[in-house]
Amino acid sequence: MATLHERKTYRDQVLRVLYEAVEGNRLLGITGAQLRHDLHVPEQDLAAACTYLAGEGLITVDWEPGNTPAMVTLTHEGIRHMEADEEDTAESPHTCEGLGHGQDR
């Protein structure tokens, strides 16, 4: 089981990889297999990160049997979240993790 810090890191990494892969086009997505390959995240931790992010309305996930993400896409809200994070990073050298706030699931 991943620690709280690891779970937050996985969630941030999923968002970052998706955002970079789709370049702001919410019609594009990335396969779960590609996410696992790019992030080197254990399968159950990737599923947990995707479940959390989908619950927050930041991504949509098409699931394969066995609770495995088949296709993951950013929602409009997810793109806005990443753009705001990008703007915050450009404006301030001291930023917090984007999803480090609020309740952990």
Side-chain angles (χ1 to χ4, degrees):
M1 181 65 138
T3 66
L4 175 61
H5 177 72
E6 289 170 330
R7 290 191 306 268
K8 288 179 180 181
T9 299
Y10 294 154
R11 294 190 298 251
D12 286 339
Q13 289 174 338
V14 167
L15 285 175
R16 206 166 296 116
V17 166
L18 268 173
Y19 184 67
E20 290 171 2
V22 303
E23 297 178 352
N25 183 345
R26 70 183 191 97
L27 299 177
L28 299 176
I30 189 168
T31 65
Q34 187 65 46
L35 272 177
R36 278 191 304 279
H37 178 266
D38 290 350
L39 299 177
H40 306 287
V41 174
E43 190 170 328
Q44 75 178 34
D45 293 328
L46 178 60
C50 288
T51 299
Y52 180 94
L53 294 169
E56 293 294 310
L58 300 174
I59 66 171
T60 58
V61 183
D62 294 326
W63 296 97
E64 292 180 350
N67 201 29
T68 302
M71 179 62 69
V72 184
T73 55
L74 279 172
T75 63
H76 178 72
E77 189 60 34
I79 292 169
R80 288 177 45 148
H81 174 84
M82 292 306 296
E83 288 173 347
D85 191 51
E86 192 173 25
E87 288 173 352
D88 289 346
T89 301
E91 292 173 6
S92 171
H94 300 93
T95 59
C96 298
E97 288 183 352
L99 292 174
H101 309 294
Q103 175 180 346
D104 184 41
R105 296 182 189 162

